[in-house]
């Protein structure tokens, strides 16, 4: 809902940072092992040889890379729709011709992250009406009688 969206976005941002840090830690572990095994002149080839010798780290590294790609794309997508002040549904269905809730990126971020309860359109109200006849409750009752 409206009030937990900022926590969801915070979660995916933190997940992205966490997965990037996991990849960094795997790199540091493999680099330290390769330096202790091959000496101070260990380079990229020795790093790859060390990585191949530790299948658990290979699996964990591949897992983190796949997840960081997915979560990073999700983070980028939600950043874009926050900057436009749209919900996912509004963005996917291309709901507005001109978004009445878009106040520019800084105000959109402020509204979504700090004041989600203050979501009001600015400008003049535009009412799009359908003037076709609509059935009413009294029409349904008269049809039965």
């Amino acid at each position: 809902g409206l009030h937990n969206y900022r926590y969801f976005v915070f979660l995916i941002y933190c997940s992205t940072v966490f997965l990037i840090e996991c990849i960094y830690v795997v790199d540091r572990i493999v680099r330290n092992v390769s330096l202790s095994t091959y000496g101070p002149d260990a380079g990229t080839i020795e790093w790859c040889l060390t990585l191949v010798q530790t299948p658990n780290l290979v699996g964990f590294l591949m897992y983190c890379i796949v997840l960081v790609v997915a979560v990073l794309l999700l983070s980028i997508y939600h950043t874009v729709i926050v900057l436009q002040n749209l919900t996912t549904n509004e963005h996917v269905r291309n709901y507005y011709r001109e978004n009445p809730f878009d106040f520019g990126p800084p105000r959109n971020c402020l509204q979504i992250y700090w004041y989600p309860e203050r979501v009001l359109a600015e400008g003049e109200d535009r009412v799009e009406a359908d003037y076709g006849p609509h059935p009413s409750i009294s029409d349904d009752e008269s049809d039965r009688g």
Side-chain angles (χ1 to χ4, degrees):
L2 180 63
H3 299 290
N4 67 356
Y5 180 70
R6 59 182 158 180
Y7 302 112
F8 169 72
V9 172
F10 182 71
L11 174 71
I12 61 175
Y13 290 162
C14 288
S15 299
T16 304
V17 170
F18 173 74
L19 290 167
I20 290 170
E21 287 177 354
C22 286
I23 292 169
Y24 175 77
V25 167
V26 168
D27 173 63
R28 299 307 326 170
I29 290 170
V30 173
R31 187 169 311 280
N32 288 339
V33 171
S34 70
L35 286 174
S36 67
T37 304
Y38 297 104
D41 295 330
T44 306
I45 295 174
E46 289 80 16
W47 185 90
C48 291
L49 289 172
T50 304
L51 185 63
V52 170
Q53 294 168 358
T54 53
N56 291 341
L57 285 179
V58 172
F60 183 67
L61 183 63
M62 298 308 293
Y63 176 75
C64 286
I65 289 172
V66 168
L67 280 180
V68 81
V69 168
V71 174
L72 183 63
L73 289 174
L74 189 63
S75 296
I76 291 169
Y77 173 73
H78 280 280
T79 301
V80 168
I81 66 172
V82 162
L83 293 175
Q84 297 173 353
N85 205 0
L86 291 170
T87 64
T88 305
N89 192 31
E90 291 167 345
H91 184 255
V92 169
R93 293 181 184 224
N94 201 13
Y95 197 73
Y96 301 112
R97 282 183 243 141
E98 184 180 325
N99 183 1
F101 300 100
D102 187 5
F103 307 123
R107 284 190 60 200
N108 291 344
C109 290
L110 188 68
Q111 188 176 48
I112 289 176
Y113 295 131
W114 292 101
Y115 306 111
E117 63 278 356
R118 295 185 189 173
V119 180
L120 298 172
E122 286 187 353
E124 295 183 26
D125 290 338
R126 288 176 285 202
V127 177
E128 295 181 14
D130 180 11
Y131 294 106
H134 294 285
S136 66
I137 296 173
S138 60
D139 291 338
D140 290 340
E141 291 174 4
S142 63
D143 290 340
R144 293 184 209 156

